[in-house]
Amino acid sequence: MAGDALSQDPADLRRRIDTTKAHPARVYDVFLGGKDNYPVDREAAGAALAANPRGYLDVRHNRDFLRRAVTTLTKDEGVRQFLDIGTGLPTAENVHQIAQDITPGTRVVYVDNDPVVLAHARALLTSGPEGATDYIDADFREPARILEEAARTLDFDEPIALCLVALLHFVEDEVAYPVVRELVDALPAGSRLVLTHLTEDLNPSKIRAVRDTYTKRGFTFVLRSRDEVARFFEQSGLAVDEPGVVPVHHWRFEGGAPLPPEMEPHTLAALDDIEKVRYRDINDVTDADINVYAATGRKG
């Protein structure tokens, strides 16, 4: 099931793509080993990695948290619907792949406003026959539109997991808090909020150096404290699940992360630092490496 967004002329989409400025979704794609990015995005990722050489662990652990959270909510909590805003580019183990592998009838709606993401959205819509996926071309700042279009696929009388993963640190306070509240308030009882957020609480000098590389490129970059992250849950009366708002690698990480693909040492040595990232084992992580909070919460 696909929305009107996919009927857009590919030539129009190409005209919307600005390859002169880095885009957060495409920089994220660089760190995940994707190919749907441009030199300006790779340069931005390289600058961030130079500022914090183990900063790739934030990105990779953020993604692995999403895997663990979706698995937990689907397998243990019976959640059958997901609304993923700020989807980013398709990568291994998208939300619908994780959830529908456990429960084939799961419904997933993705939302993003990057034309590169939209151009690849058909890759997100390869749902199993029993489930459904949709893609909405919209900005986080348009909650009413997102909710209206999501209702084509999702049943708002049944619990929905709202995923805001590595999104809100790109949004200023005066927008972030009211929009999250509007989205959560529209969800029925039993719904969940799944959230990650960059912070300077944990290793401030490292993440501030990374922030500076991004703000020089025109990104909005808001590093929020643990209390400020918790406010996203508290403002709508959500009960935060155990273990609370915690560094991302402490959120139910008992099983560890999947191992990266194997590569011969001499071949790995020939790659540049950014290309090596996808071959790093993220189980090799310490508290000094992480600058991301993660949490899920339940609407009563």
Side-chain angles (χ1 to χ4, degrees):
M1 172 182 308
D4 296 337
L6 296 187
S7 65
Q8 294 188 29
D9 185 340
D12 290 338
L13 286 178
R14 286 194 293 272
R15 282 191 287 271
R16 284 177 54 190
I17 298 171
D18 184 353
T19 61
T20 67
K21 290 175 57 179
H23 189 284
R26 302 195 311 254
V27 174
Y28 192 70
D29 182 63
V30 174
F31 278 109
L32 293 176
K35 302 299 182 185
D36 300 311
N37 49 71
Y38 296 91
V40 67
D41 306 304
R42 293 189 285 277
E43 189 273 334
L49 193 64
N52 180 13
R54 287 176 66 80
Y56 66 88
L57 288 165
D58 282 333
V59 179
R60 297 276 304 283
H61 273 278
N62 178 80
R63 190 71 194 182
D64 197 62
F65 160 78
L66 181 63
R67 174 187 66 83
R68 301 194 307 275
V70 171
T71 298
T72 298
L73 292 179
T74 306
K75 182 181 292 185
D76 300 339
E77 305 292 338
V79 174
R80 300 291 179 262
Q81 303 188 103
F82 291 83
L83 176 57
D84 182 4
I85 303 178
T87 300
L89 285 148
T91 188
E93 292 283 87
N94 298 295
V95 169
H96 75 279
Q97 294 168 319
I98 300 166
Q100 291 177 1
D101 184 58
I102 298 167
T103 305
T106 302
R107 294 172 171 264
V108 180
V109 172
Y110 295 104
V111 183
D112 209 301
N113 69 333
D114 178 12
V116 177
V117 177
L118 178 57
H120 291 273
R122 291 189 187 280
L124 291 173
L125 299 176
T126 54
S127 173
E130 297 176 55
T133 58
D134 198 1
Y135 180 91
I136 300 171
D137 180 22
D139 192 282
F140 169 78
R141 295 168 174 80
E142 305 173 281
R145 179 183 166 202
I146 290 171
L147 292 166
E148 179 182 0
E149 295 193 28
R152 295 190 306 236
T153 303
L154 305 180
D155 180 355
F156 277 74
D157 291 326
E158 296 294 331
I160 296 169
L162 170 64
C163 299
L164 303 174
V165 175
L167 171 67
L168 295 172
H169 44 252
F170 296 116
V171 186
E172 58 278 8
D173 282 358
E174 58 268 27
V175 174
Y177 287 107
V179 170
V180 171
R181 178 159 192 166
E182 183 171 346
L183 291 167
V184 172
D185 286 354
L187 303 179
S191 292
R192 294 311 236 281
L193 175 60
V194 178
L195 185 151
T196 63
H197 202 295
L198 283 168
T199 183
E200 59 184 344
D201 285 357
L202 306 174
N203 298 289
S205 62
K206 292 180 179 179
I207 195 60
R208 287 170 186 162
V210 172
R211 177 190 60 193
D212 291 346
T213 71
Y214 287 140
T215 55
K216 287 176 183 175
R217 291 162 175 79
F219 289 14
T220 297
F221 214 77
V222 184
L223 299 173
R224 294 188 172 95
S225 68
R226 184 185 181 282
D227 287 347
E228 289 168 330
V229 172
R231 180 180 159 194
F232 287 111
F233 295 85
E234 294 164 354
Q235 68 177 2
S236 295
L238 300 179
V240 178
D241 300 317
E242 290 295 331
V245 179
V246 296
V248 66
H249 64 309
H250 290 311
W251 197 94
R252 307 188 190 185
F253 191 56
E254 297 88 350
L259 294 176
E262 291 186 11
M263 176 168 278
E264 293 293 334
H266 68 277
T267 306
L268 182 64
L271 301 178
D272 65 29
D273 288 343
I274 278 291
E275 291 173 326
K276 290 176 182 175
V277 163
R278 68 183 298 242
Y279 300 101
R280 303 295 191 195
D281 180 4
I282 68 169
N283 294 285
D284 172 28
V285 62
T286 70
D287 290 351
D289 295 318
I290 294 298
N291 303 281
V292 181
Y293 281 128
T296 66
R298 187 180 191 280
K299 185 172 181 178

